[in-house]
Amino acid sequence: MTVCFFPQRKNMSIPTVQLSTGAVIPLLGLGTWKSAPGQVQQAVEVAIDNGYRHIDCAHAYRNEKEVGAGISSRIQKGVVKREDLFIVSKLWNNYHDQENVKPAFMESLTNLHLTYLDVYLMHSPMGTKLNKQSGEVEFSDVDYTDTWKEMEKLVDEGLVKAIGVSNFNVGQLERLQSMCRINPAVNQVELHPYLTQPKLVQYCKTNGIVLTAYSPFGSPDSPFVQCDKQRLLEDPVISAIGKKYGKTNAHVLLLYHVQRGVTVIPKSVTPVRIIQNAQIFDFSLSDDDIKTLEGLNRNWRSAKWDVSGLPSHKFYPFKED
Ligand SMILES: NC(=O)c1ccc[n+]([C@@H]2O[C@H](COP(=O)([O-])OP(=O)(O)OC[C@H]3O[C@@H](n4cnc5c(N)ncnc54)[C@H](OP(=O)(O)O)[C@@H]3O)[C@@H](O)[C@H]2O)c1
């Protein structure tokens, strides 16, 4: 795995890691889940103005039009060229059926005002469908390997540079890799010191799959974690590490990934935080710091996907824990 660090400067280049396709992905990106449509355009603009080049999007976030407006405005202003950006979106669970994959992809592409994506991810291995009469989410029988075959066609057609998955466990990656024509370039999963997933991290490393860490702060604004909020941003052990370097918990939590070649996509709609979250390339965590952070693991997930009966889906990915 090649990780390239550049010296810090204003509007600095954010370091990158190479995908199995040969393309490079910036190690820090902007997350956009829960970013209100009225706020996300500005968030994307602030991010791009301050050196971010990687934006994480999804059909399911219901804000791709506004994300696209932010991207377009910065291209039109000449702040950035399309080829310097790295735009990721995701195929939602309801569109796993063969005939739905390309239309769902095209809808994201149109909403984002783009002609290609850098990576398209399968949002999860669990296919579902919406019962239009009852409004209920039902399980679909479609196998994620069949969905993957449709995603491979998007690469063949030049609509996307690379394809990947999200929320896949080791068994599911092994099964997909044993059948696919194009290897998944990325697996986007929840990762932070309370959920270190060493087996999954090792599998991805040895199989040429770049990991993207989602919810690096434990998703404090998630609607799904009301009862068991865990406070990574206030954890005193993490604060003690940050204090040594004059850095915040957020900085430590982000560098923890970047330093080992894991891409990370903190969400913020607050301009000052978006800027601060990129100020992580002027310090290093020691081996002891990393060991201490890993020692905080408690297999705690903010995103358990325990809605609509999904834990009984045959492809529910979190049974391995
Ligand atoms: N593939 C998947 O299934 C999946 C699942 C979850 C997330 N994701 C992706 O990963 C991204 C990040 O995860 P997430 O949104 O769950 O949560 P997160 O990045 O762990 O946390 C976001 C929260 O932290 C706050 N925040 C950001 N920077 C901060 C700072 N420096 N200090 C204090 N608070 C700060 C944000 O507030 P403000 O916005 O108010 O500033 C927001 O409330 C998502 O947006 C999405 O793109 C993917």
Side-chain angles (χ1 to χ4, degrees), residues 30-35 39 56-58 61 90 92 121-124 165-167 188-190 192 212-222 232-233 248 250-251 254 265-274 276-277 302-303 305:
L30 180 73
T32 62
W33 177 40
K34 307 172 263 72
S35 299
Q39 294 179 306
D56 183 70
C57 320
Y61 303 162
K90 310 185 193 84
W92 183 238
L121 303 175
M122 198 185 312
H123 209 138
S124 96
V165 293
S166 177
N167 297 300
Q188 183 180 120
V189 295
E190 181 168 353
H192 44 65
T212 295
Y214 75 62
S215 304
F217 305 143
S219 201
D221 56 345
S222 168
L232 282 159
L233 285 167
T248 63
H251 292 134
L254 297 175
I265 46 170
K267 172 264 176 183
S268 180
V269 289
T270 313
V272 68
R273 288 178 174 166
I274 295 170
Q276 281 168 1
N277 289 344
S302 68
W305 293 66

Tab-separated table of all heavy atoms in Angstrom, residues 30-35 39 56-58 61 90 92 121-124 165-167 188-190 192 212-222 232-233 248 250-251 254 265-274 276-277 302-303 305, ligand 1:
chain	number	residue	atom	x	y	z
A	30	LEU	N	-14.877	14.468	3.045
A	30	LEU	CA	-16.000	15.057	3.783
A	30	LEU	C	-17.190	14.106	3.745
A	30	LEU	O	-17.641	13.717	2.663
A	30	LEU	CB	-16.406	16.404	3.146
A	30	LEU	CG	-17.582	17.110	3.848
A	30	LEU	CD1	-17.139	17.699	5.189
A	30	LEU	CD2	-18.170	18.208	2.953
A	31	GLY	N	-17.713	13.743	4.916
A	31	GLY	CA	-18.941	12.943	4.987
A	31	GLY	C	-20.157	13.838	4.815
A	31	GLY	O	-20.120	15.023	5.183
A	32	THR	N	-21.244	13.282	4.285
A	32	THR	CA	-22.436	14.123	4.033
A	32	THR	C	-23.745	13.517	4.540
A	32	THR	O	-24.811	14.040	4.253
A	32	THR	CB	-22.570	14.453	2.524
A	32	THR	OG1	-22.755	13.225	1.803
A	32	THR	CG2	-21.377	15.200	1.990
A	33	TRP	N	-23.661	12.393	5.286
A	33	TRP	CA	-24.900	11.834	5.848
A	33	TRP	C	-25.417	12.774	6.944
A	33	TRP	O	-24.636	13.217	7.787
A	33	TRP	CB	-24.641	10.435	6.451
A	33	TRP	CG	-25.853	9.834	7.110
A	33	TRP	CD1	-27.134	9.895	6.676
A	33	TRP	CD2	-25.884	9.091	8.347
A	33	TRP	NE1	-27.972	9.227	7.552
A	33	TRP	CE2	-27.228	8.732	8.581
A	33	TRP	CE3	-24.903	8.688	9.260
A	33	TRP	CZ2	-27.622	7.983	9.707
A	33	TRP	CZ3	-25.284	7.953	10.377
A	33	TRP	CH2	-26.634	7.598	10.591
A	34	LYS	N	-26.691	13.052	6.943
A	34	LYS	CA	-27.354	13.924	7.929
A	34	LYS	C	-27.079	15.397	7.691
A	34	LYS	O	-27.517	16.249	8.456
A	34	LYS	CB	-26.959	13.578	9.384
A	34	LYS	CG	-27.139	12.146	9.771
A	34	LYS	CD	-26.563	11.847	11.137
A	34	LYS	CE	-25.194	11.267	11.139
A	34	LYS	NZ	-24.108	12.156	10.788
A	35	SER	N	-26.303	15.717	6.671
A	35	SER	CA	-26.046	17.125	6.351
A	35	SER	C	-27.299	17.647	5.655
A	35	SER	O	-27.669	17.162	4.584
A	35	SER	CB	-24.840	17.256	5.427
A	35	SER	OG	-23.696	16.736	6.067
A	39	GLN	N	-27.704	23.061	4.139
A	39	GLN	CA	-26.373	23.352	4.702
A	39	GLN	C	-25.243	22.689	3.934
A	39	GLN	O	-24.091	23.106	4.019
A	39	GLN	CB	-26.308	22.846	6.150
A	39	GLN	CG	-27.228	23.594	7.094
A	39	GLN	CD	-27.130	23.036	8.502
A	39	GLN	OE1	-27.310	21.830	8.708
A	39	GLN	NE2	-26.865	23.887	9.459
A	56	ASP	N	-17.788	12.194	0.209
A	56	ASP	CA	-18.528	10.937	0.339
A	56	ASP	C	-20.028	11.218	0.279
A	56	ASP	O	-20.559	11.949	1.120
A	56	ASP	CB	-18.191	10.244	1.668
A	56	ASP	CG	-18.903	8.911	1.778
A	56	ASP	OD1	-18.520	7.989	1.037
A	56	ASP	OD2	-19.866	8.805	2.563
A	57	CYS	N	-20.698	10.629	-0.699
A	57	CYS	CA	-22.123	10.902	-0.919
A	57	CYS	C	-22.890	9.574	-0.945
A	57	CYS	O	-22.290	8.497	-0.960
A	57	CYS	CB	-22.339	11.572	-2.280
A	57	CYS	SG	-21.105	12.799	-2.723
A	58	ALA	N	-24.198	9.676	-0.997
A	58	ALA	CA	-25.029	8.480	-1.169
A	58	ALA	C	-26.432	8.907	-1.556
A	58	ALA	O	-26.932	9.933	-1.074
A	58	ALA	CB	-25.085	7.655	0.123
A	61	TYR	N	-28.723	9.575	1.357
A	61	TYR	CA	-28.587	10.782	2.191
A	61	TYR	C	-29.530	11.900	1.742
A	61	TYR	O	-29.636	12.929	2.414
A	61	TYR	CB	-27.134	11.285	2.210
A	61	TYR	CG	-26.127	10.261	2.694
A	61	TYR	CD1	-24.775	10.408	2.438
A	61	TYR	CD2	-26.535	9.130	3.399
A	61	TYR	CE1	-23.847	9.471	2.865
A	61	TYR	CE2	-25.615	8.181	3.833
A	61	TYR	CZ	-24.271	8.352	3.558
A	61	TYR	OH	-23.364	7.421	3.967
A	90	LYS	N	-23.139	5.876	-3.466
A	90	LYS	CA	-23.497	4.502	-3.062
A	90	LYS	C	-24.864	4.095	-3.596
A	90	LYS	O	-25.799	4.899	-3.606
A	90	LYS	CB	-23.524	4.394	-1.519
A	90	LYS	CG	-22.296	4.947	-0.856
A	90	LYS	CD	-22.285	4.731	0.642
A	90	LYS	CE	-21.201	5.568	1.293
A	90	LYS	NZ	-21.596	6.965	1.580
A	92	TRP	N	-28.183	2.319	-3.033
A	92	TRP	CA	-28.984	1.987	-1.852
A	92	TRP	C	-29.561	0.570	-1.955
A	92	TRP	O	-29.735	0.007	-3.032
A	92	TRP	CB	-30.067	3.060	-1.629
A	92	TRP	CG	-30.856	2.783	-0.372
A	92	TRP	CD1	-32.186	2.594	-0.268
A	92	TRP	CD2	-30.308	2.629	0.950
A	92	TRP	NE1	-32.526	2.339	1.046
A	92	TRP	CE2	-31.395	2.338	1.813
A	92	TRP	CE3	-29.015	2.676	1.491
A	92	TRP	CZ2	-31.225	2.117	3.184
A	92	TRP	CZ3	-28.853	2.441	2.857
A	92	TRP	CH2	-29.944	2.175	3.687
A	121	LEU	N	-20.123	2.580	-4.506
A	121	LEU	CA	-20.134	1.508	-3.503
A	121	LEU	C	-21.515	0.882	-3.401
A	121	LEU	O	-22.525	1.589	-3.511
A	121	LEU	CB	-19.787	2.079	-2.123
A	121	LEU	CG	-18.460	2.819	-1.956
A	121	LEU	CD1	-18.367	3.406	-0.538
A	121	LEU	CD2	-17.290	1.871	-2.188
A	122	MET	N	-21.559	-0.424	-3.118
A	122	MET	CA	-22.821	-1.041	-2.723
A	122	MET	C	-22.985	-0.683	-1.233
A	122	MET	O	-22.113	-1.023	-0.430
A	122	MET	CB	-22.745	-2.567	-2.915
A	122	MET	CG	-24.095	-3.218	-2.953
A	122	MET	SD	-24.016	-5.028	-3.036
A	122	MET	CE	-22.852	-5.372	-4.323
A	123	HIS	N	-24.050	0.018	-0.882
A	123	HIS	CA	-24.150	0.601	0.467
A	123	HIS	C	-24.135	-0.462	1.564
A	123	HIS	O	-23.629	-0.241	2.665
A	123	HIS	CB	-25.415	1.459	0.552
A	123	HIS	CG	-25.321	2.600	1.515
A	123	HIS	ND1	-25.799	3.852	1.256
A	123	HIS	CD2	-24.799	2.674	2.765
A	123	HIS	CE1	-25.579	4.646	2.286
A	123	HIS	NE2	-24.979	3.950	3.223
A	124	SER	N	-24.711	-1.635	1.231
A	124	SER	CA	-24.649	-2.757	2.175
A	124	SER	C	-24.930	-4.027	1.373
A	124	SER	O	-25.460	-3.949	0.265
A	124	SER	CB	-25.690	-2.598	3.299
A	124	SER	OG	-26.863	-3.317	2.996
A	165	VAL	N	-17.515	-1.740	-1.952
A	165	VAL	CA	-18.636	-2.155	-1.107
A	165	VAL	C	-18.594	-1.377	0.198
A	165	VAL	O	-17.628	-0.661	0.482
A	165	VAL	CB	-18.591	-3.677	-0.823
A	165	VAL	CG1	-18.835	-4.473	-2.091
A	165	VAL	CG2	-17.274	-4.073	-0.171
A	166	SER	N	-19.629	-1.548	0.977
A	166	SER	CA	-19.699	-0.904	2.284
A	166	SER	C	-20.434	-1.853	3.221
A	166	SER	O	-21.378	-2.529	2.799
A	166	SER	CB	-20.454	0.424	2.147
A	166	SER	OG	-20.590	1.039	3.398
A	167	ASN	N	-19.986	-1.890	4.462
A	167	ASN	CA	-20.624	-2.749	5.471
A	167	ASN	C	-20.544	-4.220	5.114
A	167	ASN	O	-21.448	-4.992	5.451
A	167	ASN	CB	-22.084	-2.316	5.676
A	167	ASN	CG	-22.192	-0.906	6.206
A	167	ASN	OD1	-21.694	-0.607	7.282
A	167	ASN	ND2	-22.792	-0.012	5.426
A	188	GLN	N	-16.116	0.354	2.769
A	188	GLN	CA	-16.364	1.469	3.700
A	188	GLN	C	-17.129	0.934	4.909
A	188	GLN	O	-18.242	0.422	4.750
A	188	GLN	CB	-17.163	2.578	2.992
A	188	GLN	CG	-17.373	3.767	3.896
A	188	GLN	CD	-18.166	4.904	3.266
A	188	GLN	OE1	-19.222	5.275	3.771
A	188	GLN	NE2	-17.668	5.470	2.183
A	189	VAL	N	-16.512	1.031	6.073
A	189	VAL	CA	-17.122	0.448	7.281
A	189	VAL	C	-16.931	1.385	8.468
A	189	VAL	O	-16.104	2.294	8.424
A	189	VAL	CB	-16.473	-0.923	7.628
A	189	VAL	CG1	-16.753	-1.965	6.559
A	189	VAL	CG2	-14.978	-0.794	7.869
A	190	GLU	N	-17.677	1.107	9.529
A	190	GLU	CA	-17.481	1.901	10.753
A	190	GLU	C	-16.170	1.470	11.418
A	190	GLU	O	-15.941	0.277	11.660
A	190	GLU	CB	-18.661	1.685	11.720
A	190	GLU	CG	-18.487	2.517	12.985
A	190	GLU	CD	-19.741	2.576	13.856
A	190	GLU	OE1	-20.811	2.092	13.434
A	190	GLU	OE2	-19.617	3.113	14.982
A	192	HIS	N	-13.242	3.039	14.463
A	192	HIS	CA	-12.730	4.049	15.400
A	192	HIS	C	-12.196	3.270	16.602
A	192	HIS	O	-12.335	2.025	16.654
A	192	HIS	CB	-13.841	5.045	15.793
A	192	HIS	CG	-15.170	4.409	16.106
A	192	HIS	ND1	-15.341	3.572	17.175
A	192	HIS	CD2	-16.373	4.442	15.467
A	192	HIS	CE1	-16.595	3.141	17.205
A	192	HIS	NE2	-17.243	3.644	16.158
A	212	THR	N	-12.287	2.539	4.058
A	212	THR	CA	-12.706	3.886	4.443
A	212	THR	C	-13.423	3.771	5.774
A	212	THR	O	-14.331	2.942	5.924
A	212	THR	CB	-13.642	4.505	3.388
A	212	THR	OG1	-12.914	4.677	2.174
A	212	THR	CG2	-14.157	5.873	3.845
A	213	ALA	N	-12.989	4.597	6.727
A	213	ALA	CA	-13.582	4.580	8.074
A	213	ALA	C	-14.729	5.571	8.116
A	213	ALA	O	-14.532	6.772	7.954
A	213	ALA	CB	-12.533	4.972	9.106
A	214	TYR	N	-15.937	5.050	8.351
A	214	TYR	CA	-17.051	5.986	8.549
A	214	TYR	C	-17.343	6.165	10.040
A	214	TYR	O	-16.863	5.386	10.868
A	214	TYR	CB	-18.272	5.596	7.716
A	214	TYR	CG	-19.161	4.424	8.124
A	214	TYR	CD1	-19.868	4.396	9.316
A	214	TYR	CD2	-19.352	3.368	7.236
A	214	TYR	CE1	-20.733	3.343	9.645
A	214	TYR	CE2	-20.213	2.306	7.550
A	214	TYR	CZ	-20.902	2.309	8.756
A	214	TYR	OH	-21.750	1.268	9.062
A	215	SER	N	-18.088	7.216	10.342
A	215	SER	CA	-18.418	7.592	11.728
A	215	SER	C	-17.173	7.615	12.627
A	215	SER	O	-17.164	6.988	13.704
A	215	SER	CB	-19.484	6.640	12.291
A	215	SER	OG	-20.624	6.633	11.463
A	216	PRO	N	-16.130	8.342	12.226
A	216	PRO	CA	-14.888	8.339	13.016
A	216	PRO	C	-15.050	8.943	14.406
A	216	PRO	O	-14.247	8.660	15.296
A	216	PRO	CB	-13.932	9.193	12.160
A	216	PRO	CG	-14.827	10.077	11.342
A	216	PRO	CD	-16.038	9.223	11.041
A	217	PHE	N	-16.115	9.758	14.595
A	217	PHE	CA	-16.360	10.345	15.919
A	217	PHE	C	-17.477	9.588	16.649
A	217	PHE	O	-18.005	10.060	17.664
A	217	PHE	CB	-16.758	11.826	15.790
A	217	PHE	CG	-15.761	12.669	15.027
A	217	PHE	CD1	-16.184	13.685	14.170
A	217	PHE	CD2	-14.396	12.439	15.154
A	217	PHE	CE1	-15.262	14.459	13.477
A	217	PHE	CE2	-13.463	13.207	14.456
A	217	PHE	CZ	-13.900	14.211	13.612
A	218	GLY	N	-17.892	8.443	16.104
A	218	GLY	CA	-18.978	7.687	16.727
A	218	GLY	C	-20.344	8.243	16.389
A	218	GLY	O	-21.331	7.934	17.040
A	219	SER	N	-20.406	9.099	15.347
A	219	SER	CA	-21.667	9.615	14.831
A	219	SER	C	-22.558	10.231	15.915
A	219	SER	O	-23.700	9.809	16.111
A	219	SER	CB	-22.421	8.474	14.111
A	219	SER	OG	-23.366	9.005	13.218
A	220	PRO	N	-22.040	11.247	16.637
A	220	PRO	CA	-22.841	11.799	17.747
A	220	PRO	C	-24.191	12.373	17.324
A	220	PRO	O	-25.079	12.504	18.172
A	220	PRO	CB	-21.932	12.895	18.321
A	220	PRO	CG	-20.861	13.129	17.325
A	220	PRO	CD	-20.726	11.883	16.514
A	221	ASP	N	-24.375	12.719	16.059
A	221	ASP	CA	-25.675	13.260	15.627
A	221	ASP	C	-26.558	12.185	14.980
A	221	ASP	O	-27.574	12.503	14.370
A	221	ASP	CB	-25.487	14.439	14.650
A	221	ASP	CG	-24.654	14.083	13.426
A	221	ASP	OD1	-23.971	13.030	13.442
A	221	ASP	OD2	-24.680	14.854	12.448
A	222	SER	N	-26.172	10.914	15.124
A	222	SER	CA	-26.964	9.861	14.490
A	222	SER	C	-28.317	9.691	15.178
A	222	SER	O	-28.386	9.651	16.413
A	222	SER	CB	-26.222	8.519	14.559
A	222	SER	OG	-27.102	7.482	14.191
A	232	LEU	N	-16.539	9.363	22.079
A	232	LEU	CA	-15.159	9.392	21.573
A	232	LEU	C	-14.579	10.805	21.614
A	232	LEU	O	-13.405	10.987	21.900
A	232	LEU	CB	-15.137	8.892	20.121
A	232	LEU	CG	-15.232	7.385	19.921
A	232	LEU	CD1	-15.723	7.071	18.508
A	232	LEU	CD2	-13.896	6.710	20.160
A	233	LEU	N	-15.428	11.797	21.328
A	233	LEU	CA	-14.922	13.177	21.256
A	233	LEU	C	-14.593	13.739	22.636
A	233	LEU	O	-13.961	14.777	22.745
A	233	LEU	CB	-15.949	14.085	20.553
A	233	LEU	CG	-16.033	13.912	19.031
A	233	LEU	CD1	-17.270	14.603	18.466
A	233	LEU	CD2	-14.778	14.428	18.343
A	248	THR	N	-6.889	18.194	19.372
A	248	THR	CA	-8.172	17.796	19.958
A	248	THR	C	-8.400	16.287	19.770
A	248	THR	O	-7.699	15.633	18.987
A	248	THR	CB	-9.332	18.522	19.259
A	248	THR	OG1	-9.349	18.100	17.888
A	248	THR	CG2	-9.176	20.033	19.325
A	250	ALA	N	-10.806	15.102	18.127
A	250	ALA	CA	-11.161	14.913	16.707
A	250	ALA	C	-9.895	14.701	15.878
A	250	ALA	O	-9.833	13.791	15.027
A	250	ALA	CB	-11.931	16.136	16.200
A	251	HIS	N	-8.859	15.498	16.135
A	251	HIS	CA	-7.611	15.349	15.373
A	251	HIS	C	-7.016	13.955	15.578
A	251	HIS	O	-6.593	13.301	14.621
A	251	HIS	CB	-6.587	16.396	15.824
A	251	HIS	CG	-6.960	17.804	15.456
A	251	HIS	ND1	-6.881	18.854	16.330
A	251	HIS	CD2	-7.437	18.324	14.294
A	251	HIS	CE1	-7.271	19.964	15.730
A	251	HIS	NE2	-7.629	19.669	14.493
A	254	LEU	N	-8.928	11.224	13.769
A	254	LEU	CA	-8.763	11.206	12.313
A	254	LEU	C	-7.375	10.701	11.929
A	254	LEU	O	-7.232	9.853	11.028
A	254	LEU	CB	-9.013	12.610	11.739
A	254	LEU	CG	-10.441	13.134	11.949
A	254	LEU	CD1	-10.574	14.575	11.476
A	254	LEU	CD2	-11.473	12.253	11.234
A	265	ILE	N	-13.728	9.860	6.655
A	265	ILE	CA	-14.679	10.821	6.071
A	265	ILE	C	-15.547	11.480	7.157
A	265	ILE	O	-16.758	11.272	7.197
A	265	ILE	CB	-15.556	10.111	5.017
A	265	ILE	CG1	-16.084	8.758	5.547
A	265	ILE	CG2	-14.770	9.900	3.717
A	265	ILE	CD1	-17.147	8.113	4.645
A	266	PRO	N	-14.942	12.311	8.026
A	266	PRO	CA	-15.762	12.981	9.049
A	266	PRO	C	-16.826	13.855	8.411
A	266	PRO	O	-16.560	14.538	7.424
A	266	PRO	CB	-14.731	13.843	9.793
A	266	PRO	CG	-13.634	14.090	8.791
A	266	PRO	CD	-13.565	12.817	7.992
A	267	LYS	N	-18.012	13.827	9.019
A	267	LYS	CA	-19.101	14.710	8.556
A	267	LYS	C	-19.090	15.981	9.398
A	267	LYS	O	-19.015	15.925	10.629
A	267	LYS	CB	-20.445	13.984	8.705
A	267	LYS	CG	-21.667	14.866	8.440
A	267	LYS	CD	-22.274	15.447	9.697
A	267	LYS	CE	-23.421	16.396	9.450
A	267	LYS	NZ	-23.952	17.003	10.685
A	268	SER	N	-19.214	17.099	8.747
A	268	SER	CA	-19.516	18.335	9.462
A	268	SER	C	-20.164	19.311	8.501
A	268	SER	O	-19.851	19.319	7.316
A	268	SER	CB	-18.246	18.959	10.067
A	268	SER	OG	-18.611	20.145	10.743
A	269	VAL	N	-21.076	20.121	9.051
A	269	VAL	CA	-21.627	21.230	8.270
A	269	VAL	C	-21.163	22.557	8.880
A	269	VAL	O	-21.651	23.609	8.502
A	269	VAL	CB	-23.173	21.186	8.208
A	269	VAL	CG1	-23.652	20.046	7.341
A	269	VAL	CG2	-23.784	21.106	9.609
A	270	THR	N	-20.248	22.475	9.841
A	270	THR	CA	-19.784	23.673	10.538
A	270	THR	C	-18.445	24.101	9.930
A	270	THR	O	-17.443	23.375	10.067
A	270	THR	CB	-19.591	23.348	12.040
A	270	THR	OG1	-20.759	22.647	12.503
A	270	THR	CG2	-19.364	24.588	12.861
A	271	PRO	N	-18.418	25.265	9.269
A	271	PRO	CA	-17.189	25.632	8.558
A	271	PRO	C	-15.913	25.508	9.392
A	271	PRO	O	-14.928	24.923	8.938
A	271	PRO	CB	-17.463	27.072	8.100
A	271	PRO	CG	-18.953	27.081	7.881
A	271	PRO	CD	-19.512	26.216	8.975
A	272	VAL	N	-15.945	26.020	10.624
A	272	VAL	CA	-14.703	25.995	11.407
A	272	VAL	C	-14.246	24.563	11.689
A	272	VAL	O	-13.055	24.252	11.688
A	272	VAL	CB	-14.863	26.858	12.695
A	272	VAL	CG1	-15.839	26.230	13.654
A	272	VAL	CG2	-13.529	27.097	13.367
A	273	ARG	N	-15.201	23.657	11.880
A	273	ARG	CA	-14.834	22.246	12.126
A	273	ARG	C	-14.300	21.580	10.856
A	273	ARG	O	-13.371	20.773	10.912
A	273	ARG	CB	-16.046	21.464	12.629
A	273	ARG	CG	-16.431	21.812	14.044
A	273	ARG	CD	-17.665	21.011	14.427
A	273	ARG	NE	-18.016	21.192	15.816
A	273	ARG	CZ	-19.173	20.821	16.331
A	273	ARG	NH1	-20.089	20.255	15.562
A	273	ARG	NH2	-19.429	20.996	17.606
A	274	ILE	N	-14.918	21.920	9.735
A	274	ILE	CA	-14.445	21.340	8.469
A	274	ILE	C	-12.970	21.715	8.277
A	274	ILE	O	-12.138	20.868	7.923
A	274	ILE	CB	-15.316	21.843	7.286
A	274	ILE	CG1	-16.746	21.326	7.443
A	274	ILE	CG2	-14.713	21.424	5.945
A	274	ILE	CD1	-17.763	21.946	6.478
A	276	GLN	N	-10.833	22.732	10.721
A	276	GLN	CA	-10.011	22.122	11.791
A	276	GLN	C	-9.763	20.631	11.551
A	276	GLN	O	-8.685	20.125	11.833
A	276	GLN	CB	-10.714	22.274	13.149
A	276	GLN	CG	-10.548	23.647	13.752
A	276	GLN	CD	-11.490	23.865	14.947
A	276	GLN	OE1	-12.257	22.977	15.339
A	276	GLN	NE2	-11.424	25.056	15.510
A	277	ASN	N	-10.762	19.948	11.013
A	277	ASN	CA	-10.601	18.503	10.820
A	277	ASN	C	-9.502	18.171	9.817
A	277	ASN	O	-9.002	17.047	9.791
A	277	ASN	CB	-11.928	17.861	10.402
A	277	ASN	CG	-12.934	17.816	11.546
A	277	ASN	OD1	-12.560	17.991	12.704
A	277	ASN	ND2	-14.206	17.583	11.233
A	302	SER	N	-21.968	2.474	16.261
A	302	SER	CA	-23.055	3.463	16.229
A	302	SER	C	-24.093	3.027	15.206
A	302	SER	O	-25.275	3.298	15.363
A	302	SER	CB	-22.521	4.851	15.882
A	302	SER	OG	-22.063	4.907	14.555
A	303	ALA	N	-23.642	2.349	14.153
A	303	ALA	CA	-24.557	1.956	13.068
A	303	ALA	C	-24.758	0.445	13.101
A	303	ALA	O	-23.988	-0.311	12.495
A	303	ALA	CB	-23.979	2.388	11.715
A	305	TRP	N	-27.600	-0.983	12.134
A	305	TRP	CA	-28.573	-1.318	11.096
A	305	TRP	C	-29.674	-2.216	11.671
A	305	TRP	O	-30.087	-3.198	11.051
A	305	TRP	CB	-27.881	-2.007	9.894
A	305	TRP	CG	-26.948	-1.101	9.150
A	305	TRP	CD1	-25.793	-0.553	9.604
A	305	TRP	CD2	-27.089	-0.625	7.789
A	305	TRP	NE1	-25.203	0.244	8.627
A	305	TRP	CE2	-25.980	0.204	7.513
A	305	TRP	CE3	-28.041	-0.827	6.796
A	305	TRP	CZ2	-25.800	0.832	6.279
A	305	TRP	CZ3	-27.858	-0.212	5.574
A	305	TRP	CH2	-26.745	0.614	5.324
B	1	LIG	N1	-21.444	3.516	4.427
B	1	LIG	C1	-22.220	3.658	5.459
B	1	LIG	O1	-23.068	2.824	5.760
B	1	LIG	C2	-22.056	4.894	6.308
B	1	LIG	C3	-22.639	4.934	7.588
B	1	LIG	C4	-22.442	6.082	8.372
B	1	LIG	C5	-21.687	7.125	7.878
B	1	LIG	N2	-21.159	7.077	6.604
B	1	LIG	C6	-20.373	8.192	6.047
B	1	LIG	O2	-19.409	8.617	7.017
B	1	LIG	C7	-19.606	9.988	7.308
B	1	LIG	C8	-19.189	10.301	8.740
B	1	LIG	O3	-19.930	9.569	9.690
B	1	LIG	P1	-21.121	10.165	10.559
B	1	LIG	O4	-21.779	11.257	9.816
B	1	LIG	O5	-21.930	9.001	10.965
B	1	LIG	O6	-20.492	10.748	11.880
B	1	LIG	P2	-19.120	11.379	12.398
B	1	LIG	O7	-18.331	11.930	11.276
B	1	LIG	O8	-18.504	10.378	13.306
B	1	LIG	O9	-19.676	12.556	13.304
B	1	LIG	C9	-20.390	13.645	12.778
B	1	LIG	C10	-20.760	14.554	13.951
B	1	LIG	O10	-19.568	15.093	14.551
B	1	LIG	C11	-19.658	16.514	14.593
B	1	LIG	N3	-18.298	17.030	14.360
B	1	LIG	C12	-17.597	17.066	13.203
B	1	LIG	N4	-16.363	17.568	13.396
B	1	LIG	C13	-16.275	17.859	14.722
B	1	LIG	C14	-15.251	18.402	15.526
B	1	LIG	N5	-14.061	18.737	15.030
B	1	LIG	N6	-15.511	18.575	16.855
B	1	LIG	C15	-16.710	18.227	17.382
B	1	LIG	N7	-17.735	17.689	16.658
B	1	LIG	C16	-17.509	17.505	15.335
B	1	LIG	C17	-20.644	16.896	13.506
B	1	LIG	O11	-21.298	18.110	13.830
B	1	LIG	P3	-21.631	19.290	12.789
B	1	LIG	O12	-21.984	18.693	11.469
B	1	LIG	O13	-22.778	19.956	13.452
B	1	LIG	O14	-20.399	20.145	12.738
B	1	LIG	C18	-21.618	15.739	13.589
B	1	LIG	O15	-22.537	15.937	14.635
B	1	LIG	C19	-21.097	10.182	7.011
B	1	LIG	O16	-21.476	11.527	6.961
B	1	LIG	C20	-21.223	9.426	5.724
B	1	LIG	O17	-20.683	10.170	4.648
B	1	LIG	C21	-21.311	5.964	5.843
